[in-house]
Amino acid sequence: MKRIGILGGTFNPIHNGHLAIAQMVAEDFLLDKVIFVPSHVPPHKAAKNLIPAYQRLAMVNLAVKGNSLFTVSDCEIKRSGKSYSIDTVKFLKDQYNPGAKFFFIIGSDMLAKLHTWKEISTLASLVTFIVVSRRGVLNTRAKIKVLYANTIDLEVSSTALRTRLASGKSVKYLLPDNVIAYINKQKFYQ
Ligand code: ATP
């Protein structure tokens, strides 16, 4: 049976933390594929410096190039409106392989609010959550059954990258070179 991971995020921008957790989790949990799913963020919610959806998607596509374990889905962006993981999981299950086992990868910063996600009990019956330690926090008492990944902590966040980029500093080695080139060309996050 195929084992498929899903990594959702704003990816504003994607960084090596995202890529490294996807790689480590894929290996440790024997996943055949990890699907990166950039979320649609409604324009009225747009925080300062939120890059339009299709350009965040473009950066994710650049970042996963050359890694056959990784793929990208634009389903949340195409669906538009608020992105709910339950809708995404149902869609991806249909689209990819209804018989596959699905895993949903989240950073531990998401764990405290996981029980509030839309239709969480249905969602939890469709996927197994894999929690990756972030900022040294792993074992927040989860109200939902989850598996914990034993990954290396990488303290990089999109917020920290945007801050560095806004002050004209280098972000080399924190995200792929082709994504940095795209950001510079488009003059994002200045
Ligand atoms: P921001 O700083 O803008 O909030 P972010 O770096 O948290 O962004 P997201 O796109 O929101 O990035 O993250 C998508 C998913 O990846 C979330 O589940 C998040 O917890 C996880 N994640 C992001 N960065 C890391 C990291 N360095 N280590 C572990 N998990 C991470």
Side-chain angles (χ1 to χ4, degrees):
M1 191 201 275
K2 289 265 182 218
R3 295 163 67 84
I4 298 178
I6 297 172
L7 179 61
T10 315
F11 301 120
N12 183 41
I14 189 162
H15 53 67
N16 286 350
H18 299 125
L19 295 162
I21 64 168
Q23 182 72 29
M24 289 187 278
V25 166
E27 287 182 8
D28 294 354
F29 290 85
L30 306 175
L31 306 185
D32 300 291
K33 189 101 341 257
V34 178
I35 309 170
F36 288 69
V37 189
S39 59
H40 180 258
V41 182
H44 63 271
K45 270 208 142 181
K48 196 171 153 255
N49 266 332
L50 180 82
I51 297 305
Y54 279 98
Q55 281 154 325
R56 287 183 287 110
L57 174 69
M59 292 190 279
V60 177
N61 274 314
L62 286 171
V64 304
K65 253 193 190 162
N67 189 331
S68 57
L69 264 179
F70 293 169
T71 188
V72 184
S73 171
D74 61 3
C75 67
E76 292 192 352
I77 293 173
K78 278 207 173 127
R79 201 165 63 231
S80 84
K82 201 166 182 319
S83 299
Y84 291 109
S85 300
I86 182 70
D87 302 331
T88 302
V89 164
K90 285 180 177 166
F91 174 84
L92 291 176
K93 276 202 146 178
D94 279 352
Q95 197 197 19
Y96 273 82
N97 187 343
K101 188 165 168 50
F102 278 77
F103 296 83
F104 201 104
I105 306 164
I106 58 169
S108 58
D109 52 317
M110 313 286 284
L111 198 49
K113 289 232 166 116
L114 183 59
H115 67 283
T116 68
W117 288 19
K118 188 183 169 196
E119 291 175 42
I120 183 62
S121 48
T122 310
L123 181 59
S125 70
L126 297 175
V127 300
T128 301
F129 285 99
I130 298 177
V131 179
V132 177
S133 154
R134 194 170 192 194
R135 300 182 182 112
V137 183
L138 184 54
N139 222 335
T140 320
R141 262 161 281 142
K143 295 182 176 141
I144 308 296
K145 186 179 169 285
V146 298
L147 301 178
Y148 292 98
N150 186 19
T151 46
I152 298 170
D153 270 33
L154 289 164
E155 195 36 70
V156 49
S157 66
S158 301
T159 304
L161 292 181
R162 294 194 301 272
T163 304
R164 281 190 78 80
L165 285 161
S167 50
K169 289 178 174 167
S170 166
V171 289
K172 196 163 169 59
Y173 307 120
L174 297 170
L175 66 167
D177 284 341
N178 59 355
V179 181
I180 297 176
Y182 184 82
I183 288 172
N184 290 337
K185 187 159 171 250
Q186 303 283 336
K187 302 194 185 338
F188 288 153
Y189 308 113
Q190 293 185 352

